[in-house]
Amino acid sequence: MKKISFLFLAIGFGFLSMPSAHAQLDNNQSDFDEFMDRSGNRYRSASGKPGPDYFQNEADYDIKVSLDPETHTVTGQLTMTYTNNSPENLEYIWMYLEQNRFTENSRGTLTTPVEGNRYNGDPLDGVKITNLQAKVKGSTSSKHLITDTRMQVFFNKPLKAKGGTAEVSMNFEFEVPVNGMDRMGRLSTENGEIYAMAQWFPQVAVFDDIEGWNIEPYLGAGEFYYDYGDFDVEITVPHNYVVVGSGELQNPKDVMSSTLYDRYKKALESQETVTLISSEEIGESKMFANQSGTQTWNYEIENARDFAFAASKAFIWDGAQFNLPSGETGLAHSVYPIESDGQDAWSRSTEYSKASIEYYSEKWYEYPYSSAVNVAADIGGMEYPALNFCSWKSKGGRLWGVTDHEFGHNWFPMIVGSNERRYAWMDEGFNTFINYYSTQAFNDGEYPTRLNQPRSLTGWFLGEGREGIDTYPDMANLRNLGMIAYYKPALGLLMLREYILGEERFDYAFRSYIETWAFKHPQPQDFFNHMENAAGENLSWYFNAWFYGTGNIDLAIDSLTEKDGAYFLTVSNKGEIPMPMHMQITFEDGSTEMKSLPVEIWQRGDTWTHKFETEKSIKSIELDPEKILMDVNFSNDKWPLDIYED
């Protein structure tokens, strides 16, 4: 009976009519399969949101630091309050001492090519740490172990999970390098030295649910990954130095003369740029509260992942009010030497800064800080919360571009706190993408943008030396870094918005991603999951091929035939990446119509024939008429081929 029952079941479901084991059907299912483990857990959900047990620790800093221009030395005292929100007790923490990159035998120095590159650093003595104390529940430990750019700080008692706090304090001292890997350092100008201070204080590493302690050394191309916290920083300098820093100045009356303070207040309320210190007033004691000695500038910023500052007696200083959608306002301001002055150069920096902050706040997510400062330095472009370093040589469109790019970093990774040391594309690429739209908007397109010119990049996409977006920046060939960290991921988002999903679906999902992960630590899978869920589209076929591969797009229109009053269009996918087919049909009467075929046509194979009927005669068909796709072979994008034009 059992055998008979099985026989009837087999016949009923058609099993006996299945092809033999030797007759296999070819398909492209592997192109559409999931490509990484994106299943949810208690920490991160499959919908791309933090899970019910998601955690991140907090580090709040109180720092007092002095800058001595005679010896170019920084001396500081740091007290950090560390809150352990993780589910684990911690016997120690890891901290970064990134000034140790500037030694002869640091890992970063020893892995820099002998011919040098952008990430050269002066071989100095690194940072000196003294009087370290780590306190947990009244028990104090001074035990610590320094390894290259990292320091392990041990507790006498474990720091309790889910809310335990520790206080870690120490003194630190180092010499400021001239050449600081294009991220910090000092620049000599006609009126004095400019100090650009970044990676300047001991800072705790991130402990998360993915890696535990994230302790990759500071080598060069890989940037940073920090937790969020509050900063209260006092910076003591000679009396005629201007100091700007991340966040809001707390004591303007203590450091400014009445004249400078009146201008400062005016700038806080002005839509036009107000001069605070002019080129004729550079370094003059009358502009400051003290006429000799030193004075201390106090800056505070809340819920930030880093703090940077700049100091100089050579600064011109100007500012204006920026306006946020909520009605809040803040100060956009700029400091630069006389060598950078001029309406074709840094005199427009504050205008650029204000426009950038206001655009991104309106388009994506409101800027969270009350200040935004652009600093001219001997640095190509580098970002920190509420503060940029940009090249003092930049002018015109180049100054707009670098200013806008570095302020865009306040959204990625200052607000959306991804791991820059591993996933440069999640901040550089996302930022390059939003820069494209802000540049289009600024003064109705005063400056050009090239992200919408993918054909100009065909050479790189066909080059044998290309690498994948997922390559860690410290491992990437520096000749590829601009493409794999900046342009290719930005192009990927551009195609996703304007070709695959459409603006409405993409913008909702992207804004939702920013809001969901604001001041948190998303991983790549969180971004992929969130975009799929919020946009309502399975995009594994795209995310895998574009972000985790080196294949290319090459869609083709093969033929168009007419039979029995109907047209038969045959298309093919000659590349490695499946994509929808968006085509413009031009009829003999001059009218046009868009025709789209979904990406699923490529699931069963690499060619597809579509039948459609029309009473009009077709003159030509063109794939992607707006040229959004990074299609490496555009010679097969039209029918008939003889109408193709470069």
Side-chain angles (χ1 to χ4, degrees):
M1 289 294 294
K2 290 182 179 179
K3 291 182 180 179
I4 295 173
S5 298
F6 177 77
L7 178 62
F8 281 116
L9 272 173
I11 294 172
F13 282 93
F15 293 160
L16 295 184
S17 63
M18 289 178 66
S20 68
H22 298 288
Q24 296 183 356
L25 297 176
D26 292 332
N27 62 57
N28 292 328
Q29 183 57 49
S30 60
D31 292 341
F32 292 80
D33 287 341
E34 299 294 341
F35 64 98
M36 62 165 55
D37 183 6
R38 291 193 279 145
S39 56
N41 55 46
R42 297 286 298 177
Y43 299 112
R44 297 166 189 271
S45 73
S47 64
K49 296 180 179 180
D53 291 339
Y54 175 82
F55 72 89
Q56 61 190 56
N57 295 346
E58 181 178 343
D60 301 316
Y61 295 87
D62 190 332
I63 308 174
K64 295 176 174 59
V65 62
S66 297
L67 171 64
D68 183 354
E70 297 297 322
T71 61
H72 308 301
T73 301
V74 167
T75 305
Q77 302 85 42
L78 174 149
T79 300
M80 178 189 69
T81 302
Y82 186 72
T83 304
N84 176 23
N85 294 314
S86 83
E88 300 181 32
N89 294 341
L90 300 177
E91 293 78 23
Y92 54 83
I93 61 172
W94 282 97
M95 300 188 73
Y96 278 110
L97 305 179
E98 284 165 344
Q99 287 300 311
N100 279 350
R101 169 61 175 79
F102 303 106
T103 63
E104 289 185 354
N105 294 312
S106 73
R107 293 190 187 190
T109 299
L110 296 176
T111 55
T112 299
V114 293
E115 66 271 18
N117 58 30
R118 175 184 175 184
Y119 305 108
N120 287 345
D122 290 343
L124 301 174
D125 295 329
V127 61
K128 179 182 179 181
I129 301 295
T130 57
N131 197 30
L132 186 147
Q133 296 185 324
K135 300 178 181 179
V136 176
K137 287 191 173 181
S139 178
T140 302
S141 169
S142 61
K143 183 180 178 182
H144 61 283
L145 179 64
I146 296 175
T147 305
D148 195 55
T149 55
R150 296 150 303 167
M151 176 171 65
Q152 191 174 20
V153 177
F154 297 89
F155 301 130
N156 281 340
K157 295 180 180 180
L159 178 59
K160 293 296 184 182
K162 299 183 178 180
T165 60
E167 183 182 278
V168 179
S169 61
M170 68 194 77
N171 298 336
F172 62 96
E173 181 178 342
F174 64 90
E175 181 183 348
V176 181
V178 173
N179 188 348
M181 298 172 56
D182 206 24
R183 296 212 171 102
M184 57 94 63
R186 48 191 171 93
L187 169 68
S188 295
T189 74
E190 176 184 330
N191 293 300
E193 204 89 358
I194 293 176
Y195 293 88
M197 302 302 301
Q199 292 93 58
W200 58 277
F201 62 95
Q203 192 163 0
V204 71
V206 172
F207 183 78
D208 63 22
D209 59 291
I210 302 297
E211 295 292 331
W213 286 106
N214 289 259
I215 41 75
E216 283 89 355
Y218 181 31
L219 299 178
E223 294 188 6
F224 315 107
Y225 186 37
Y226 298 130
D227 275 321
Y228 291 89
D230 300 338
F231 293 82
D232 186 339
V233 182
E234 296 181 5
I235 304 159
T236 300
V237 293
H239 75 281
N240 60 344
Y241 270 54
V242 172
V243 177
V244 292
S246 297
E248 184 175 356
L249 180 62
Q250 301 298 300
N251 62 336
K253 289 184 177 180
D254 294 338
V255 294
M256 298 178 183
S257 67
S258 59
T259 298
L260 179 56
Y261 182 65
D262 287 343
R263 296 175 185 175
Y264 179 77
K265 288 193 298 180
K266 182 179 179 182
L268 285 168
E269 298 177 352
S270 174
Q271 300 305 306
E272 303 296 328
T273 301
V274 173
T275 299
L276 302 177
I277 295 179
S278 70
S279 59
E280 292 80 19
E281 297 166 328
I282 292 174
E284 291 191 2
S285 296
K286 67 179 183 179
M287 303 306 297
F288 302 94
N290 295 346
Q291 303 303 300
S292 62
T294 63
Q295 56 186 27
T296 299
W297 299 62
N298 179 204
Y299 281 91
E300 292 184 7
I301 190 169
E302 296 181 353
N303 209 13
R305 55 180 259 166
D306 204 354
F307 185 99
F309 72 93
S312 182
K313 65 178 180 180
F315 281 146
I316 297 170
W317 189 12
D318 60 39
Q321 181 188 83
F322 63 74
N323 304 275
L324 302 178
S326 66
E328 295 292 324
T329 63
L331 179 67
H333 53 135
S334 304
V335 289
Y336 47 95
I338 197 168
E339 292 89 337
S340 304
D341 195 15
Q343 277 301 310
D344 64 336
W346 275 78
S347 294
R348 293 189 69 186
S349 168
T350 291
E351 175 194 352
Y352 297 159
S353 303
K354 171 182 166 65
S356 185
I357 293 295
E358 291 177 347
Y359 178 84
Y360 296 129
S361 295
E362 182 68 37
K363 180 69 176 177
W364 302 116
Y365 185 91
E366 185 162 306
Y367 184 70
Y369 306 122
S370 58
S371 173
V373 59
N374 205 22
V375 179
D378 193 19
I379 296 167
M382 193 62 206
E383 74 283 354
Y384 299 93
L387 182 147
N388 302 332
F389 297 128
C390 296
S391 174
W392 65 278
K393 298 178 181 179
S394 291
K395 296 182 178 182
R398 292 182 66 86
L399 181 57
W400 158 260
V402 68
T403 299
D404 183 53
H405 180 78
E406 304 312 333
F407 273 125
H409 272 304
N410 278 278
W411 281 261
F412 307 101
M414 305 308 166
I415 294 173
V416 182
S418 58
N419 185 344
E420 299 175 86
R421 197 152 285 180
R422 288 190 171 196
Y423 311 116
W425 59 273
M426 293 186 72
D427 70 289
E428 299 293 0
F430 288 18
N431 186 24
T432 302
F433 167 71
I434 64 174
N435 298 158
Y436 167 67
Y437 297 101
S438 61
T439 299
Q440 285 185 325
F442 179 68
N443 277 355
D444 295 322
E446 177 178 350
Y447 298 120
T449 178
R450 64 186 180 125
L451 193 61
N452 60 344
Q453 301 170 14
R455 292 183 178 187
S456 65
L457 303 171
T458 302
W460 183 88
F461 278 87
L462 292 173
E464 293 184 359
R466 66 186 185 275
E467 296 173 286
I469 288 173
D470 58 320
T471 308
Y472 287 2
D474 282 320
M475 300 179 188
N477 187 317
L478 289 183
R479 289 176 293 182
N480 286 329
L481 192 60
M483 283 298 302
I484 65 176
Y486 295 74
Y487 281 98
K488 188 179 179 185
L491 281 170
L493 294 186
L494 184 73
M495 290 188 291
L496 187 60
R497 182 179 192 261
E498 299 192 5
Y499 191 88
I500 298 172
L501 292 177
E503 295 181 6
E504 186 174 4
R505 293 170 72 194
F506 177 91
D507 287 359
Y508 171 78
F510 199 57
R511 290 188 189 109
S512 177
Y513 167 72
I514 297 172
E515 183 176 359
T516 298
W517 288 99
F519 310 105
K520 297 182 177 67
H521 295 313
Q523 296 289 313
Q525 58 265 37
D526 298 316
F527 171 70
F528 299 144
N529 282 341
H530 198 96
M531 292 300 292
E532 285 192 351
N533 279 268
E537 195 76 35
N538 187 329
L539 296 166
S540 290
W541 55 272
Y542 183 61
F543 290 143
N544 182 20
W546 191 260
F547 290 90
Y548 283 78
T550 57
N552 284 312
I553 299 169
D554 183 9
L555 302 178
I557 298 176
D558 294 333
S559 64
L560 181 72
T561 58
E562 186 178 5
K563 183 179 180 181
D564 299 330
Y567 283 97
F568 294 84
L569 173 69
T570 299
V571 295
S572 62
N573 180 15
K574 298 181 181 298
E576 296 82 14
I577 303 178
M579 293 289 285
M581 296 280 292
H582 299 325
M583 298 164 287
Q584 179 175 279
I585 302 172
T586 300
F587 299 98
E588 291 288 354
D589 64 4
S591 61
T592 61
E593 177 183 322
M594 288 300 297
K595 183 70 178 179
S596 296
L597 300 176
V599 71
E600 287 82 4
I601 63 174
W602 309 122
Q603 285 184 324
R604 298 185 182 90
D606 295 331
T607 62
W608 184 260
T609 298
H610 176 73
K611 175 185 177 182
F612 58 95
E613 298 180 359
T614 176
E615 295 180 357
K616 297 181 179 181
S617 297
I618 294 178
K619 179 180 180 182
S620 64
I621 301 179
E622 180 179 5
L623 170 68
D624 183 29
E626 296 183 2
K627 302 299 177 284
I628 298 168
L629 287 181
M630 183 56 248
D631 192 314
V632 296
N633 179 16
F634 41 87
S635 66
N636 54 21
D637 290 354
K638 289 186 178 182
W639 177 91
L641 292 179
D642 59 5
I643 69 162
Y644 187 81
E645 298 176 357
D646 287 334

